[in-house]
Amino acid sequence: QNVDGSKKRLTSSKLEALNEGDKPEKNELTNARKSGRAKNKVKTKKVTLQRVARILSNRGLGTRSEVNKYIKCKRIQYFPSESDDSGKVDVITIKNASERLPIDSKFFLDGNIEIEQVPLLILYHKPEGMLSQMKDDSFGRRHLGQVLSEKYKQYEQMGLHPVGRLDYDTSGLILFSSSGDLTQRLLHPRHEVEKEYVASVENTMNIDGELLLKKQLEIDGVTTTEGIHNAELVSISNGCDVRLTVKEGKHRMVRRMLANCGHPVIKLQRLRHGLCVIDGLDVGKFRVANMSETKW
């Protein structure tokens, strides 16, 4: 505006001069700002801190009070993640049980025994004649709690628990998890995690019988007392060894499905649960899941 309050009019030549200038467009300014923020933004890894006593108790070293005794006696050491200018990493003795450190820190007992982190997932080859429960039953039968305590004495403090179950007379793969979220992911039907079995059945099948079983399992579905269930038929060997996958875990479901198809199960073994396979794992042995088996 002019001093007298009247509006100043721009001539067409002045407007053209403004339009032809080097003034950046709005979109260009916005993109430049976003680009600058992206360059300045540094990704930092989130570190979870916990009290040392809790970390070590969760790793199965002992109860909190037992861990405190180890610390008071200066028997617990750890490696910090940072090194000094020379690249040397000094071992530090823990002096206070309430000290907070990253949960993935490396801890040692008496300087030479590593107190390992709790595995996220453990594979176990369950034999026949073992209960899929963690405590004794009234008949004194062998159960999972016994074998797990032999391998991991403080499994309760470590939070390890079985992922589902296998029947007493079924062998094969059963998983132990230390994560409730992962257990839910592996078991809930909405996630449709596959479980693969091989069953030796009665009534040897010819080609027509195999085609009929495939139709019953995959197309028609098999009616049981708990509803209609489907399975994918992977293969049939020797007319009586049936390999199949299911996405549910109802009680004795595979046995009931095959029996209702006219082929009662003589022997049943679980080969796979999701990404975890039993290949190479001897009966009664444990194995920690590798990285590829824990990508859920």
Side-chain angles (χ1 to χ4, degrees):
Q1 287 186 334
N2 292 322
V3 176
D4 59 3
S6 60
K7 292 183 179 179
K8 185 189 289 183
R9 293 185 178 180
L10 294 174
T11 63
S12 60
S13 60
K14 288 181 179 179
L15 284 171
E16 289 175 3
L18 282 173
N19 290 334
E20 292 174 358
D22 296 330
K23 182 179 178 180
E25 294 183 0
K26 184 177 179 180
N27 288 341
E28 292 177 350
L29 283 170
T30 303
N31 293 335
R33 291 191 188 105
K34 286 182 178 179
S35 177
R37 284 197 298 267
K39 288 179 181 178
N40 294 330
K41 190 175 181 180
V42 178
K43 291 183 178 180
T44 56
K45 182 180 178 181
K46 186 177 179 180
V47 178
T48 303
L49 302 178
Q50 281 185 358
R51 292 188 176 188
V52 173
R54 181 180 177 185
I55 296 173
L56 296 179
S57 179
N58 288 343
R59 292 193 185 187
L61 182 61
T63 62
R64 299 280 181 91
S65 60
E66 290 171 340
V67 170
N68 287 338
K69 290 178 182 178
Y70 284 121
I71 292 173
K72 286 180 180 179
C73 295
K74 299 181 179 180
R75 298 182 62 188
I76 305 297
Q77 298 81 32
Y78 87 101
F79 280 109
S81 56
E82 301 86 4
S83 59
D84 58 23
D85 295 336
S86 66
K88 182 181 178 181
V89 180
D90 292 325
V91 179
I92 298 176
T93 299
I94 303 294
K95 297 178 181 178
N96 189 343
S98 61
E99 184 177 351
R100 300 175 69 86
L101 291 173
I103 60 173
D104 59 352
S105 299
K106 277 194 171 185
F107 292 92
F108 291 84
L109 176 64
D110 297 330
N112 57 6
I113 303 173
E114 184 173 358
I115 307 167
E116 297 181 352
Q117 296 185 55
V118 180
L120 180 63
L121 205 58
I122 298 172
L123 288 70
Y124 176 63
H125 191 155
K126 173 190 166 305
E128 292 181 14
M130 177 178 288
L131 291 171
S132 293
Q133 62 186 47
M134 302 304 288
K135 294 182 180 179
D136 294 317
D137 72 333
S138 56
F139 299 101
R141 291 177 291 183
R142 192 158 173 77
H143 56 86
L144 292 178
Q146 291 172 316
V147 294
L148 189 61
S149 63
E150 291 168 4
K151 180 71 175 178
Y152 301 96
K153 290 183 173 56
Q154 302 292 334
Y155 72 85
E156 289 181 338
Q157 284 88 351
M158 297 166 76
L160 288 169
H161 55 272
V163 180
R165 64 188 305 279
L166 285 176
D167 300 328
Y168 182 75
D169 48 356
T170 298
S171 65
L173 179 63
I174 193 163
L175 304 176
F176 291 94
S177 166
S178 60
S179 166
D181 291 338
L182 178 57
T183 300
Q184 173 79 355
R185 174 71 177 80
L186 290 167
L187 291 180
H188 201 285
R190 74 170 177 268
H191 299 300
E192 296 189 335
V193 177
E194 289 185 347
K195 303 173 188 69
E196 185 171 338
Y197 296 83
V198 60
S200 297
V201 300
E202 295 179 8
N203 304 326
T204 302
M205 291 167 275
N206 55 21
I207 296 297
D208 291 337
E210 292 178 5
L211 292 174
L212 176 60
L213 180 61
K214 183 177 180 67
K215 179 176 179 295
Q216 290 172 311
L217 293 175
E218 298 184 356
I219 300 174
D220 301 336
V222 183
T223 301
T224 70
T225 55
E226 295 188 358
I228 300 175
H229 303 291
N230 291 86
E232 180 185 349
L233 182 61
V234 178
S235 64
I236 299 177
S237 303
N238 306 317
C240 61
D241 293 326
V242 180
R243 193 162 176 163
L244 72 165
T245 61
V246 296
K247 295 179 180 178
E248 292 184 79
K250 302 290 186 181
H251 179 56
R252 298 181 74 84
M253 188 177 80
V254 173
R255 291 179 181 272
R256 286 187 290 172
M257 288 176 68
L258 290 172
N260 290 357
C261 289
H263 301 282
V265 173
I266 301 170
K267 188 175 183 179
L268 183 64
Q269 182 184 35
R270 183 193 285 166
L271 304 175
R272 177 171 64 89
H273 189 152
L275 302 174
C276 301
V277 295
I278 203 171
D279 290 350
L281 185 61
D282 295 335
V283 177
K285 297 298 182 182
F286 290 90
R287 174 174 71 78
V288 176
N290 57 47
M291 292 294 291
S292 64
E293 292 171 326
T294 56
K295 290 181 180 178
W296 294 94

